[in-house]
Amino acid sequence: MIDLLDAHTHTVASGHAYNTMNEMLLAAKEKGLKLLAITDHGNGMEGTTPRYYFENSAMIDREALGRRYGVKLLFGVELNLMDVDGSVDMSQKVLEKMDLAIVSIHPPCFPKGASMEQVMNAYVNAMKNPLINFVGHPDDGRFPVDYKALVQAAKKYHVALEINNHSLDGKGNRTNARQNDMEMLRYCMEYEVPVILNSDAHVDTEVGNHKEAWELIHEIGFPEKLILNTDLKRFMTYVNCRCSGVTAQRPLPPEQVV
């Protein structure tokens, strides 16, 4: 299967990553990617990206950088879920400036020992926000998830779920990721909910590295039509990007249409 993009990467702005935006774009070019999203951490995480980094994002000429490297650039954020009510660490006003938004649970930000019910309440409430596009690494066994309910909510609110390569590569602290991803993928097939394979790269050598994620996809026989990496046009229906005069913001769920 062809792999066209990487929509979850970090730069030095995140505070614990090691390369600049230009270096990440060059790596994407060298890997043959057509699209790269920079998604530095929201500022609710200690020692990470300051708020004004995102507030000032209009200064980034996405089209000029894209022409320089031959890679479409999107600028977004990896939001932190801050509580069991689904609050995130960015105001709606600033979130409107982002091309895309991932929402994730990270131990420094989310309440330790939260129950499955509390975790699910946080995820579902966050997914109701039409400017949140992806759920990042929902495979961490430290935070129990009802995967059937997660997939059903993703379908309802037009959110894609992430298969995070870093969760599977054995270099981090997430637990039971492989088994959790397999369960989630089976429900995604049942309910026809798309997934996105992302590197979660914090260094340029990891840009576009979806090796373990693809191995899992092939093992389970997951259909190509449900993988956003293989279809840029479909991917763009899941993000908020307004570049080149195109508005691709996802539709509101039925109960929010007025």
Side-chain angles (χ1 to χ4, degrees), residues 6 8-11 17 24 198-204 206-208:
D6 194 350
H8 184 169
T9 68
H10 299 274
T11 73
M24 300 296 271
N198 284 325
S199 69
D200 198 357
H202 286 63
V203 63
D204 61 353
E206 289 298 304
V207 170

Side-chain angles (χ1 to χ4, degrees), residues 64-132:
L65 285 167
R67 288 193 299 271
R68 179 185 297 174
Y69 294 99
V71 178
K72 186 176 184 65
L73 172 65
L74 302 185
F75 183 81
V77 59
E78 184 181 13
L79 300 165
N80 296 289
L81 275 170
M82 302 302 293
D83 56 40
V84 298
D85 294 322
S87 302
V88 296
D89 51 347
M90 180 174 283
S91 70
Q92 195 74 353
K93 182 178 179 180
V94 179
L95 192 51
E96 288 173 356
K97 299 175 183 287
M98 301 295 102
D99 298 330
L100 74 162
I102 303 166
V103 66
S104 304
I105 291 180
H106 295 101
C109 303
F110 197 74
K112 185 178 180 180
S115 67
M116 180 182 289
E117 182 180 4
Q118 290 173 320
V119 170
M120 290 306 303
N121 189 64
Y123 274 137
V124 173
N125 282 342
M127 282 192 279
K128 291 177 182 178
N129 186 333
L131 295 178
I132 290 177

Side-chain angles (χ1 to χ4, degrees), residues 130-194:
L131 295 178
I132 290 177
N133 314 116
F134 306 111
V135 175
H137 48 78
D139 52 22
D140 189 344
R142 294 174 294 179
F143 304 97
V145 173
D146 178 339
Y147 286 103
K148 182 177 181 180
L150 184 73
V151 169
Q152 289 175 329
K155 186 177 185 70
K156 179 177 182 179
Y157 296 111
H158 195 72
V159 172
L161 302 173
E162 179 185 74
I163 302 298
N164 185 293
N165 202 76
H166 182 51
S167 296
L168 298 167
D169 66 12
K171 298 177 183 178
N173 298 316
R174 298 169 198 154
T175 63
N176 208 42
R178 191 174 190 278
Q179 292 80 359
N180 291 337
D181 279 333
M182 290 184 75
E183 182 179 358
M184 185 174 75
L185 285 169
R186 290 190 179 103
Y187 282 121
C188 285
M189 285 191 286
E190 179 179 350
Y191 291 97
E192 296 194 326
V193 171

